Amino acid sequence: MHKFKTSRFAWAVGYLLTLHVAALVIFTLFRVALFLLTSYEIPAESNSISLIATAFVKGLWFDNVIACYILALPLVVMWIAGLCNYTPRWLYRTTAAWYTLFYAVAFTFTAANIPYFEYFFKIINSSIFNWFSYVGTTAGMIFGESSYHLPILLGSLAILGWGALAFYLAKRFWQKSLTAHAAISWLRRAIILVVGALLAGLCMLGIRGRMGYNPIKISQAYFCEDPFLNQIGVNPVFNLLTSALDDRRKENKQLELLDEEQALAHAQTLLGRKGIEGISPLAREVEASTAPNRKHVVVIFMESMSAHLLQAYGQEKALTPYLDSIYHHSLTFDRIYSAGIHTNHGLFSTLYSFPTIMKRNAMKGSVVPQYSGLPTTLQREGYRNLFFMTHESQYDNMNAFFRTNGFDEIYAEEDYPKEKIANHFGVADDYLYEYALPILSDRAASGNPFFAVLLSISNHPPYVIPPYFKPRSERIEDQIVEFADWSIAQFMAKAAKEPWFEDTIFLFLGDHGKLVGTPECEMPQSYNHIPLIIHGEGITPMHHTSFGGQIDIAPTLLHLLGISYTQNNFGVNLLNEERPCTFYTADNLIAARDEAHLYIYSPETGQEFCYDTSAEKIRLTEFDADFEALKSYCFAMLQSTEWMVRNKLTLDYIPEKERR
């Protein structure tokens, strides 16, 4: 036994296991950093320490899966080398390089998970690959935001320290292996064969994560009612890899919630549609109740503007004095939810009234997809459609998509003076509005109405506060909201002096929300609950409290404009139609809610979460008929969306090639 313990294979195994344990320690330290740096308060319960400990133990479980994946090949190679009693220095160095490379990647994503989780309240997932197409912009966001510097530092230190440790231990263990016997007997080879097979088996078990029929899945991390603790046990690399693999599965490429014929029939009933032959089962003709008024329209998409940031919706701080001031003199909708939690979701669903399907970016594609919607309808009515963004025009394929689908003019970073570029997301909000104003005045002077969309950015990291703006708040996260509101106020004050102002309808809405306060569930409501304020001369002030979504904005606006049109989408006119509930998504989760219930579903794991929202603090409850109704509603809408998109039934007319 003594001779076996000092064999070359024993030293090689000692090296691998030492690095394995060290990696688990570093993963745990990252989890501690996430726990401490994330602004979330653990409920003060008697068993909170036990719950936290359980979350960390589960985290160690998931960490071990990733560590075993990295361990597998070196273990097999060292096992074969041990059987040959051949463990040279180059083999140790090669193993050290292997560990350095793969853990550098693992620690990079684990460090990146800290700011990602802080912003989205989700473990990092495959949605980040959408950002890889914009290296410069993404790099500017990462390195330009000061709150990201600590995670970057932690990741850099972990990678450098890990590399040094791997090569140092390689040298030490190789030197120890030189003291082993130069030759080994067949008995010792037999022992090495058995021990190696046992270790390889344990490694495979570690990769599977469990003994059962199926390998470990994300659902294993969910063990309590606290959404924060349920998530921090998930290893970020594990979540990233599994979500990327899930994206490649047929059932995730094509959402499969229920039978499509059943979904379409139910959607027709829910929306009161009979369909139009040749267009779609959900198409209908909408007749205006008034004559067209040909007012100009300005839509301001406010980046990350959660309703929870406005005092009108309960915010204690005065962060949005302008928006709060016009709230009481406008047509407002208090229960509007964004289609998703990314900007492309908000733009797509608002302008074309199609729901967002999970983390999918519907605007991307080598062949630009075509949709009818608000821009195309207004274009037919003689409107000049303009889109203003702060960043480069190709971001999220916006330039190609919007030019293909109803916009006449696109203004982006390429059009602005270089000295006005604030960061890698382009110009600040106030300059965007300043730049757009004379162009709008010029288009109004032509005699034709314009439809202008202005997409702000300032309320998105990296935050840039211009020196000429003096915020009242201390936290930069609050200061930037003040600046975003102030920029809108400046724009409206200047626009009020223009002759077209009184003939214009202004819409203010969030593209999506952001985390405000403490997350109350797996899908914090502040991420999707957004303000919708419609303001202008002739708009009767009124506060609507029925539920709706971004998909309902276009039909509601077209009603205000007195325009008849063919509708082929999922929106309803919130002024004379009422939804029994609203539905939305957040990357990997689906939700539907009404006055007293919130239903959340994960297509990846099949898990359901049911919340009672009738009290001041929402709480988990049992699935019943009310939740079945919510589930049926959102499943029918999303599955019907999947069917219409896949069959390219997204236009409000019969394409010429299909008429022949």
Side-chain angles (χ1 to χ4, degrees):
M1 182 62 69
H2 175 71
K3 292 180 180 179
F4 173 72
K5 286 184 178 178
T6 57
S7 69
R8 292 181 179 181
F9 178 64
W11 289 115
V13 170
Y15 173 59
L16 296 179
L17 294 183
T18 300
L19 286 180
H20 189 82
V21 172
L24 295 180
V25 170
I26 295 176
F27 276 134
T28 300
L29 291 176
F30 271 118
R31 186 165 288 105
V32 171
L34 174 64
F35 183 83
L36 296 177
L37 295 176
T38 302
S39 54
Y40 178 75
E41 296 181 6
I42 302 297
E45 301 173 355
S46 58
N47 63 339
S48 60
I49 300 299
S50 175
L51 292 177
I52 294 170
T54 302
F56 272 77
V57 169
K58 285 183 174 290
L60 194 62
W61 187 6
F62 278 92
D63 295 342
N64 188 61
V65 173
I66 297 301
C68 284
Y69 268 109
I70 298 174
L71 169 65
L73 183 60
L75 177 61
V76 171
V77 172
M78 286 294 195
W79 180 24
I80 295 173
L83 287 170
C84 300
N85 199 32
Y86 179 71
T87 52
R89 186 172 187 176
W90 68 263
L91 184 57
Y92 275 88
R93 286 178 170 175
T94 302
T95 303
W98 170 277
Y99 272 97
T100 299
L101 173 63
F102 280 93
Y103 275 108
V105 175
F107 294 154
T108 295
F109 285 117
T110 306
N113 178 62
I114 296 174
Y116 187 93
F117 189 91
E118 175 73 14
Y119 196 80
F120 291 108
F121 196 64
K122 291 186 180 300
I123 298 295
I124 199 167
N125 57 64
S126 61
S127 66
I128 66 166
F129 295 133
N130 290 326
W131 299 344
F132 283 16
S133 303
Y134 317 104
V135 177
T137 302
T138 302
M141 176 185 69
I142 293 172
F143 293 104
E145 171 54 34
S146 59
S147 65
Y148 295 175
H149 292 171
L150 181 55
I152 291 173
L153 176 62
L154 293 175
S156 300
L157 290 176
I159 293 169
L160 294 174
W162 174 261
L165 178 67
F167 279 93
Y168 171 76
L169 290 176
K171 179 180 179 181
R172 295 285 297 178
F173 276 88
W174 172 75
Q175 290 174 339
K176 293 287 187 181
S177 72
L178 296 178
T179 64
H181 293 280
I184 59 174
S185 66
W186 286 106
L187 176 60
R188 284 198 293 269
R189 278 194 172 90
I191 295 174
I192 291 173
L193 181 65
V194 172
V195 172
L198 178 62
L199 291 173
L202 290 174
C203 185
M204 292 305 298
L205 179 60
I207 289 173
R208 284 183 53 82
R210 59 195 298 268
M211 296 282 291
Y213 178 76
N214 291 312
I216 189 171
K217 297 183 182 298
I218 298 298
S219 59
Q220 289 290 151
Y222 287 72
F223 70 99
C224 66
E225 296 186 2
D226 187 280
F228 176 66
L229 295 178
N230 282 339
Q231 293 191 78
I232 66 167
V234 179
N235 179 282
V237 184
F238 182 91
N239 199 60
L240 182 65
L241 291 175
T242 53
S243 63
L245 291 173
D246 283 343
D247 289 345
R248 300 178 65 85
R249 292 165 55 192
K250 178 184 176 182
E251 61 267 29
N252 288 333
K253 289 183 178 180
Q254 297 180 2
L255 195 64
E256 296 183 357
L257 298 172
L258 74 166
D259 177 77
E260 289 180 335
E261 290 188 6
Q262 177 187 351
L264 285 165
H266 193 36
Q268 285 181 310
T269 301
L270 292 169
L271 295 173
R273 311 276 177 88
K274 295 182 179 179
I276 298 176
E277 187 175 354
I279 297 181
S280 91
L282 297 181
R284 66 174 175 175
E285 297 293 342
V286 178
E287 296 294 330
S289 57
T290 61
N293 55 52
R294 295 183 64 80
K295 283 181 176 286
H296 306 294
V297 178
V298 174
V299 177
I300 296 183
F301 279 97
M302 302 177 290
E303 170 64 40
S304 301
M305 188 60 74
S306 170
H308 297 213
L309 293 170
L310 279 64
Q311 285 189 314
Y313 296 96
Q315 172 61 237
E316 295 180 357
K317 304 173 186 176
L319 303 177
T320 57
Y322 179 75
L323 292 175
D324 283 314
S325 70
I326 65 171
Y327 172 86
H328 299 288
H329 307 287
S330 306
L331 176 60
T332 62
F333 299 85
D334 294 341
R335 289 175 171 171
I336 298 296
Y337 286 74
S338 65
I341 59 173
H342 299 286
T343 298
N344 66 80
H345 298 157
L347 294 172
F348 168 73
S349 292
T350 300
L351 296 174
Y352 303 95
S353 295
F354 268 76
T356 293
I357 300 179
M358 315 296 286
K359 56 195 170 193
R360 188 184 304 175
N361 185 340
M363 299 194 301
K364 281 190 172 183
S366 54
V367 177
V368 180
Q370 286 187 281
Y371 285 83
S372 295
L374 181 59
T376 56
T377 299
L378 292 178
Q379 196 175 54
R380 293 191 198 110
E381 293 293 319
Y383 278 72
R384 185 72 177 174
N385 297 340
L386 307 91
F387 193 102
F388 297 84
M389 66 187 85
T390 64
H391 45 66
E392 60 181 359
S393 61
Q394 69 171 356
Y395 195 84
D396 273 342
N397 203 37
M398 290 185 187
N399 184 54
F401 183 82
F402 289 136
R403 288 187 186 276
T404 301
N405 293 294
F407 281 92
D408 304 293
E409 303 174 37
I410 305 291
Y411 296 92
E413 184 177 334
E414 302 92 291
D415 300 294
Y416 311 137
K418 291 185 178 179
E419 65 271 15
K420 293 296 184 179
I421 306 301
N423 56 34
H424 281 73
F425 275 126
V427 298
D429 288 1
D430 61 332
Y431 183 76
L432 174 74
Y433 303 141
E434 178 184 333
Y435 183 90
L437 191 61
I439 296 176
L440 299 184
S441 296
D442 180 71
R443 301 301 178 270
S446 70
N448 292 321
F450 64 74
F451 169 61
V453 175
L454 290 82
L455 173 62
S456 73
I457 195 60
S458 290
N459 191 24
H460 188 295
Y463 302 129
V464 177
I465 305 292
Y468 49 81
F469 177 70
K470 306 301 178 184
R472 297 179 301 275
S473 303
E474 295 182 0
R475 297 174 66 249
I476 191 169
E477 292 83 0
D478 293 335
Q479 293 175 357
I480 201 66
V481 177
E482 288 185 47
F483 174 67
D485 179 81
W486 175 84
S487 298
I488 294 173
Q490 298 299 302
F491 169 73
M492 292 298 286
K494 294 175 182 177
K497 300 176 183 178
E498 299 295 328
W500 50 266
F501 181 80
E502 293 187 355
D503 293 322
T504 303
I505 296 176
F506 295 89
L507 279 79
F508 304 93
L509 73 152
D511 61 344
H512 53 79
K514 65 189 298 186
L515 183 60
V516 181
T518 300
E520 70 279 24
C521 63
E522 287 71 18
M523 294 176 70
Q525 298 298 278
S526 61
Y527 272 114
N528 292 88
H529 186 198
I530 59 171
L532 172 58
I533 301 173
I534 302 179
H535 184 74
E537 290 289 328
I539 299 296
T540 303
M542 186 179 298
H543 300 313
H544 286 260
T545 58
S546 57
F547 283 95
Q550 287 175 321
I551 58 174
D552 302 322
I553 292 173
T556 304
L557 176 61
L558 291 171
H559 170 81
L560 292 172
L561 293 171
I563 294 176
S564 301
Y565 63 103
T566 301
Q567 181 184 11
N568 183 34
N569 52 52
F570 291 79
V572 303
N573 175 7
L574 295 173
L575 294 173
N576 59 22
E577 297 177 274
E578 187 170 323
R579 288 191 183 275
C581 62
T582 189
F583 66 101
Y584 47 94
T585 67
D587 280 357
N588 58 339
L589 296 174
I590 295 168
R593 70 161 298 166
D594 59 17
E595 181 73 33
H597 310 88
L598 169 62
Y599 172 77
I600 298 175
Y601 177 73
S602 170
E604 294 176 355
T605 65
Q607 288 177 293
E608 296 176 306
F609 304 92
C610 302
Y611 287 93
D612 180 353
T613 62
S614 59
E616 183 177 350
K617 184 177 181 180
I618 72 172
R619 61 180 181 82
L620 278 170
T621 187
E622 298 297 321
F623 187 91
D624 59 19
D626 291 315
F627 290 105
E628 178 61 44
L630 291 176
K631 177 179 180 178
S632 177
Y633 192 95
C634 66
F635 278 25
M637 295 299 174
L638 291 172
Q639 195 66 59
S640 297
T641 301
E642 179 73 72
W643 183 85
M644 289 181 65
V645 171
R646 189 172 70 253
N647 288 282
K648 296 182 172 59
L649 300 177
T650 56
L651 300 175
D652 58 12
Y653 59 91
I654 302 174
E656 185 67 31
K657 63 181 180 181
E658 296 181 15
R659 296 177 187 174
R660 295 194 290 266

